[in-house]
C-alpha cells in the first residue's frame, strides 16, 4: 500500500525529474490536511460498528427486496455477509483517507470485485448505494465530532462509487 507521498515521489523518480511546483503543492496539500485525516479516521474507527449497522438499516429500508425471499441479503448468513462487506469498504476507505491515496482501494477492494459479485449474482447497484450511505454517515459523524469535513473525506467513497458504478447506463 502506498500513500500520497510515496506515489508522488515514485512518479517523479520514474520520470527522472526533480519535484516541481506542482509536486511541492501536492505535498503541501497532503500535509496540510494530515491532522484532519487522522482525526476523521479516529472518529470513524470509534463509531464504525454503528455506521455500518445504521447504513445497513437505511439501505434495506430503501431496497427492501434485498431482505425478502430471493433477495441477496435474505437469510441471516447473507445479511451478515452484506454487513461484513460494508464494514470492509468502510475500513479500507479509512485506510485510503489516512494515506491520501486510493491505491489501497484498487489493490485490496476493487480489483476483481465486480467480477466476483457478478459470478455470485450479487447486484452492484445496492453495493454502490450502501457505500454512498456510509459516506454521508461518515461526514455527519465527523462533523458532529467538530472536525473538518473537507473534500479529502469524500475521496475514498467517491472513488469506490465511481469505479463500481455501471458505465453504460
Amino acid at each position: 500500500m502506498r500513500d500520497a507521498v510515496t506515489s508522488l515521489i515514485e512518479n517523479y523518480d520514474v520520470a527522472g525529474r526533480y519535484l516541481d511546483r506542482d509536486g511541492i503543492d501536492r505535498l503541501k496539500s497532503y500535509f496540510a490536511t494530515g491532522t484532519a485525516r487522522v482525526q476523521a479516521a479516529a472518529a470513524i474507527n470509534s463509531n464504525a460498528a454503528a455506521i455500518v449497522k445504521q447504513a445497513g438499516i437505511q439501505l434495506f429500508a430503501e431496497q427492501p427486496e434485498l431482505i425478502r425471499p430471493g433477495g441477496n441479503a435474505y437469510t441471516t448468513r447473507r445479511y451478515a455477509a452484506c454487513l461484513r462487506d460494508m464494514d470492509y469498504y468502510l475500513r479500507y476507505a479509512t485506510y485510503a483517507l489516512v494515506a491520501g491515496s486510493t491505491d489501497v482501494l484498487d489493490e485490496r477492494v476493487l480489483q476483481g470485485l465486480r467480477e466476483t459479485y457478478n459470478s455470485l449474482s450479487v447486484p452492484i447497484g445496492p453495493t454502490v448505494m450502501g457505500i454512498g450511505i456510509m459516506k454521508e454517515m461518515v461526514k455527519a459523524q465527523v462533523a458532529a465530532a467538530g472536525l473538518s469535513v473537507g473534500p479529502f473525506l469524500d475521496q475514498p467513497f467517491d472513488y469506490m462509487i465511481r469505479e463500481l458504478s455501471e458505465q453504460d447506463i
Side-chain angles (χ1 to χ4, degrees):
M1 174 176 69
R2 296 180 315 193
D3 62 18
V5 175
T6 306
S7 296
L8 178 78
I9 291 172
E10 183 179 342
N11 289 340
Y12 277 84
D13 182 44
V14 167
R17 296 175 34 214
Y18 287 96
L19 291 172
D20 57 15
R21 174 154 313 274
D22 181 54
I24 298 294
D25 288 345
R26 288 173 52 198
L27 287 172
K28 284 180 181 177
S29 174
Y30 172 75
F31 288 119
T33 59
T35 301
R37 283 177 224 253
V38 171
Q39 290 173 334
I44 294 167
N45 291 345
S46 66
N47 296 295
I51 291 169
V52 170
K53 180 181 177 184
Q54 289 303 315
I57 290 169
Q58 185 175 335
L59 174 65
F60 297 132
E62 292 177 15
Q63 300 285 310
E65 66 277 2
L66 293 171
I67 55 176
R68 291 186 184 135
N72 279 82
Y74 181 68
T75 74
T76 304
R77 184 182 62 79
R78 285 180 163 188
Y79 186 91
C82 181
L83 294 181
R84 177 208 59 214
D85 287 356
M86 290 177 78
D87 184 65
Y88 184 71
Y89 305 138
L90 181 61
R91 181 166 46 94
Y92 276 97
T94 305
Y95 296 163
L97 172 67
V98 172
S101 170
T102 58
D103 287 346
V104 69
L105 298 175
D106 288 328
E107 294 169 9
R108 305 286 171 93
V109 177
L110 299 171
Q111 193 174 58
L113 182 65
R114 178 184 297 281
E115 293 79 13
T116 300
Y117 274 18
N118 285 338
S119 72
L120 297 171
S121 299
V122 174
I124 298 290
T127 301
V128 170
M129 287 181 67
I131 293 168
I133 292 167
M134 285 192 298
K135 171 187 160 184
E136 295 307 317
M137 290 184 164
V138 162
K139 288 170 67 173
Q141 188 72 44
V142 169
L147 303 172
S148 173
V149 180
F152 62 87
L153 194 56
D154 293 336
Q155 183 188 19
F157 297 99
D158 289 345
Y159 186 77
M160 284 190 288
I161 289 168
R162 185 175 53 253
E163 292 300 308
L164 289 173
S165 293
E166 297 295 331
Q167 301 298 321
D168 299 324
I169 294 180

